[in-house]
Structures are given as structure tokens and as C-alpha cells.
Amino acid sequence: MGEHIVASQFDEKERKAFVRHLIDDIKALELMIQEGLIENDVVRIGAEQEMCLINQDYRPAPRSLEVIEALNDPHFTTELASYNLEANLDPVVLEKKCFHFVQQQLEGLLNKANAKASAVGAKILLTGILPTISKDELGMDFMTPIPRYYRINDILKAWRGDDFSVRIKGVDELSLHHDSVLFEACNTSFQLHLQIAPEDFIKSYNWAQAISGPVLGVCCNSPLLLGRELWRETRIALFQQSLDTRKWTKAVKEQVARVGFGEHWQKDSAAEIFKQDISTHRILLTKPIEPYSTELLKEGRVPKLEALHLFNSTIYRWNRPCYGVGNGKPHLRIENRYIPSGPTVIDEMANFAFWVGLMAGRPQQFDDMPSIMDFREAKLNFLRAAMNGRQAMFSWLGRAVTAKKLAKEELLPIAYAGLRKFDIDEKDISRLLGVIEARIRNGTGAEWQIKNFRGLRNQMKLDSAIVQLTKAMHKNQETRLPVHEWKPIEGMAQTKETFHWVSQIMSTKLMKLYEDDYANLAVAIMQWNNIHHLPVENGKGELVGLLTWSHIEKLEKLDKHEAKVSDIMIKEVITVQPKTEIETAKKLMKDHQIGCLPVCVENHIVGIISKVDL
């Protein structure tokens, strides 16, 4: 996300000028395409690596500005959240040992980042979504303090006119409202770039769309969010919802999401895709720009299309068309944004080689995607892959096929041929595509996480399970083995951990009563479940009381069938918050001679802590 920009006023005058520049940039791009000024005799690849900073407890470490300052390297840039960093790799020509060079540079940058991070008590982890991220780290105080990020947050909130809502259903379900775009910061990806000749752009772009589902299916690495098991690649649902400015109305209306797959196959040229985006999305950011691009062209200079570049950086297509200037020459490229970070560098490089090989090896029959495949088929495949990963069923050219079969029997051969077409080093081809073959057989990073998370959950509380999982991921990453060779987490008997907060040990699966429930029902529920205390809520879901076994003794005097829970509950309830220190909670229970404490956020109960938990 981050690039250096001139201080912006974001006022009406600047906006008016920006719109003129944006329209002019499109005109300039069309001229360059028509006049053959865009580079078409070389193919380059590039990538951006997003990463998480974690502390000694394997939780998010908001130290990115310190780390970037210590790095003092233009390859690194900030992200929305202060516990994420991004490294931009140098573009290389697609030939011979290019993947070897990319991997060397990537490992070098990660080693450098790790060294500087450890100086401030942090370490680097590559993962699609950090399992230990909690609701606490999604507040505004974790946003990197850069005006551009605050601006994005303010405008998107104003457009939404309401809090953002996240609702994702997997094995578990996550539903909540939140008040900033910071949920987007849970997502860390490994973004791939491939330069495309202008005359081949539309064929390539449509093919990139068609293969998105099948490629994503074998790369999934983000199955958990806030301790819930959701999609195999939860980033896909989360990214769309965390930046969604569409108003929820009673009328059914067509609205295009800022993050999305697209609505139809493309035709004509790259400029057409940009025009569609400008036509369907409001301008989010502006900046002062000097000369007009068409004027620069007249002078024989190469324009950077700054307005278009800034606008395009706020539209999040999973396959994003990009214009850039390298070595003084303008070029077009496709940015693949759906691949998650991790699990290891070798896994990421394998994903990179698989995608580039597929793109480079496109068989002739796929030159005209609209004639052989319905666009909705491609879009649905993408969603199925995000939900089910390697277990997905795809519809491919009108027939049903499993993700594994399609990847192994049809796509891998295309990828091998595509890499050979560009004379890629044979050792690199078999090394990297070999990882994809093994992963198709043995499982993805998402599957490894889920299997081990379920195992840990059978032995320990949720918070301990996600910490142990993250710890094991970090340890495995350091071995540099691809994920299909990772061993299951063994003998994870509860290790002695540092528990500071109530949220780390509270019970979250809660039974509750309502104030207008009958007392006899409450007694039965407590007896059946051998529970000694039950929280009581009102119709708005707010905590209004607590029913404990010792209070039920009072029932002798009351008619059990007539009395309501509100007649016998304690109304003055002592509560704590998730971030209350455990020692404080212990002292409260001792001082007030009570056996449990409800844990609340505002008036809503999110957990309960009892003597047993302590």
C-alpha cells in the first residue's frame, strides 16, 4: 500500500484538478496503446511480500515504524496496521534462473527484516491471517500513523454511513460490527506481478480470471480468524467485507464492491478496465499533480499517469491491471492479489512459478475465454476455492472436476510448458512445480493449520491453542521446509504459558438466561448441565444479572412455576473486561467472596471466568 506522496490538502480544489488529470491519464494511455509506445518485447516478473510482526508471546507487535527506520532500505514500506510490513522485490526478466534470483532476494530481505525486528523484541511471520490477532489489535491505535491511512478510513466510514460489518460462515461463524477499516490489516499476501504485451493484454487478463479459482485452491493458507475456523482462504471474504462501502438498503440494488473478482469477461484493451473502475467507484484519494500526461507525451516524455496510479491503488480487483514505467519505458502488467503469504518462502516461490507458468503457457484454445466458458463459472470457482481449498469441486469448460484432478492433470502440464517456453532453468522448474505436485497430494497450509488447531483445541483453551499453533508455524517456517513436509504438532500437553489477561483463560461458550425466563426452567438448565452460575440478559442482549446456585435456595419461599429469573437474580453484578489482569480478577473474587465474574465489552457479555479457570 505505502508509497511516498506529496502532502495533500484533500480539498475541493485539489479534487477538481485530480479528476481532470484522471481523465487525461486515460486519454494518454489510449494514445500510447494505439501508437505502440508500450513495451512489448520483454516479459518481467515481480512480487510484493507482506509480513506480520509478532512479539515473544506470538501476538501482533506494533513496531513497524521502528523496524522500517532501522532497516533504512527503500525495498520496505509500511502497511495499514503497525504490526505489518511490506517488502517490494526488484523486477527481473522472465528467463533462465530468474526464480532463483527472486528467491535469493526475498530470503535476503526477510533475514534483514528479522534482524532489525529482533532488536525491538519482535520477529517476522509469513501467514495469510495471523491466528493470534484479536479484536483488541483491530482498533485505531494500531493503525500506522500516516495521514493517507487515516484519510482512507475516514472516507470509507463516511461513505458506509455506518459501522463496517463482517459476517463469515465456515465450520464456525463470525459476525460483528467494527468501526475502522483495520480488519483489512488481518490480511497478508504475496502479490505477484507479470508484465504483459498490450496486444495480448485482454486474452491474458481473461485467462488470469479463469485460472484464479484452481490456482487459489492449491495455495490456501488462511483458515482462522479471531479463533474461528472459517474458509480455507478467509482473506477473500474478509478483504471484501472490511472495505465494503455499499449501503445496506431495503431496496435491492446493484452495487459493485471495491474488492472483487469482476462482473464479466473483458474486451478491447487495458484502458477499458480502468474506465469501468472509474465509472463504478468514487474517488477515494487525491493528490496534487503537475503536468498533464498528454502534454508530456507531446514532448516525447513518458508519463507516470499519477492520477490513474493513485486511483487504481484504491480499487482492489483480485487480478488487477497495472500501468508502470521501468527503465524509462511504459509497460502493462497483471497483479495477482489473491495468493496468501507463507507458509514458507519455498511455498510462495512454488505458487509464483505455478501462476507464471500457467500464464505463459496459455494454450490457444483459451485465447477467447468468452466463447468457451461462462464468466459466472469462473467467479463461482474462485469462491468455491476460497471456501473449500483443495477439496473444492469446480465447473471447468462445462464439466464438473475436483480441484486436485484439474490442477494435477490439466494445469500442471500447462505450467511446465509455459516455463520451458521462457527457457527457465530446468532445476528450478522441477523444484518449484514439484512442491505444487506434492501439495496437491498432501495438503495446503490451511489444512495443516486446521488439523493441528483442532487437535490443540481438544487439549486446551482457545487462546492457548492459537498461541501454540502460531508458535509451531514460526518454528516450521524457520526450517524452510515446504508445508507438505511439516510434521503434526506432537505431544502439545499444556505448556506453561504466560497468561496476563482474563480473555486468555475465560470460557466463551456460554449458556445464558433471559430476565423473563421462568425460575423452574433456570433450575432445570443448571441441574442438567451441572452449572453453578448463569448470566442473565435482557431483550437487547445486555447483561442485567447473574443467577447463582446459592440464590436458588431462595426459591423455597417462591412459587417455582410463577417466579421469573428477574425475581431471584443478583442485579448488582461485578464484571471485568477482556483486558483485565488475571491477578485483579482473583482479588475481586476473593474480596467479594464470589465464585465467578462475567467478562463484558460495554454491556455485552463475551465470557465468564470462574474459580475453576483460575
Side-chain angles (χ1 to χ4, degrees), residues 528-545:
W528 294 337
N529 295 285
N530 191 18
I531 297 176
H532 296 272
H533 22 247
L534 272 173
V536 184
E537 291 185 346
N538 64 13
K540 292 186 196 150
E542 297 164 332
L543 182 74
V544 289

Side-chain angles (χ1 to χ4, degrees), residues 150-162 164 180-181 242-247 258 282 284 314 316:
Y150 290 122
R151 175 75 182 165
I152 290 175
N153 186 60
D154 293 347
I155 298 182
L156 290 180
K157 264 176 71 176
W159 286 353
R160 182 94 176 85
D162 195 356
F164 292 92
S180 78
V181 296
S242 63
L243 294 179
D244 199 348
T245 54
R246 294 175 296 178
K247 298 259 195 302
R258 281 194 101 77
R282 292 158 75 179
L284 179 56
T314 66
Y316 307 95

Side-chain angles (χ1 to χ4, degrees), residues 270-300:
E272 296 303 315
I273 309 179
F274 292 128
K275 284 182 187 173
Q276 288 160 25
D277 286 341
I278 295 169
S279 309
T280 46
H281 296 289
R282 292 158 75 179
I283 292 168
L284 179 56
L285 294 173
T286 57
K287 70 175 190 181
I289 298 169
E290 275 311 310
Y292 283 99
S293 300
T294 49
E295 285 169 14
L296 288 172
L297 269 181
K298 278 182 197 144
E299 294 165 15

Side-chain angles (χ1 to χ4, degrees), residues 26 59-60 81 101 109 126 129 173 186 208 225 238 271 320-321 345 361 441 498 505 512 541 567 595 614:
I26 292 287
R59 300 179 194 282
F101 296 136
L109 289 170
L126 303 180
I129 294 177
E173 187 170 336
C186 295
L225 174 61
L238 179 63
R320 177 154 74 183
V345 169
R441 272 199 313 275
T498 46
I505 60 168
K512 303 169 205 165
D567 302 330
L614 295 171

Side-chain angles (χ1 to χ4, degrees), residues 93-135:
V93 175
L94 181 61
E95 61 179 14
K96 303 186 175 65
K97 294 180 85 78
C98 63
F99 286 102
H100 172 74
F101 296 136
V102 171
Q103 185 169 340
Q104 266 188 325
Q105 186 187 24
L106 181 53
E107 285 171 348
L109 289 170
L110 287 171
N111 290 341
K112 204 170 157 182
N114 244 323
K116 298 300 181 196
S118 66
V120 294
K123 39 196 168 202
I124 301 285
L125 184 73
L126 303 180
T127 176
I129 294 177
L130 180 63
T132 48
I133 245 174
S134 73
K135 187 83 168 70

Side-chain angles (χ1 to χ4, degrees), residues 51-55 61-78 81-87 109-124 144:
M51 57 198 95
C52 299
L53 285 169
I54 52 174
N55 62 21
R63 315 298 291 267
S64 66
L65 289 177
E66 294 155 78
V67 175
I68 282 196
E69 199 174 325
L71 279 163
N72 189 22
D73 179 340
H75 288 99
F76 288 92
T77 160
T78 54
S82 52
Y83 40 79
N84 292 343
L85 286 181
E86 180 177 284
L109 289 170
L110 287 171
N111 290 341
K112 204 170 157 182
N114 244 323
K116 298 300 181 196
S118 66
V120 294
K123 39 196 168 202
I124 301 285
T144 307

Side-chain angles (χ1 to χ4, degrees), residues 56-59 459-460 463-465 467-468 471 491-500 504-505 582-583 586 612-614:
Q56 301 311 312
D57 294 335
Y58 299 91
R59 300 179 194 282
Q459 304 171 38
M460 55 187 78
D463 187 78
S464 308
V467 169
Q468 292 302 339
K471 189 174 174 178
M492 272 283 184
Q494 178 78 58
T495 46
K496 192 75 192 112
E497 276 179 56
T498 46
F499 290 129
H500 306 294
Q504 293 170 275
I505 60 168
I582 291 170
E583 288 309 311
K586 266 187 193 165
V612 183
D613 298 316
L614 295 171

Side-chain angles (χ1 to χ4, degrees), residues 6-7 40 56 100 136 168 176 200 347 380 422 441 508 596:
V6 192
N40 65 356
Q56 301 311 312
H100 172 74
D136 295 327
I168 308 172
L176 46 83
D200 192 49
D347 281 302
L380 192 55
F422 281 87
R441 272 199 313 275
T508 51
C596 79

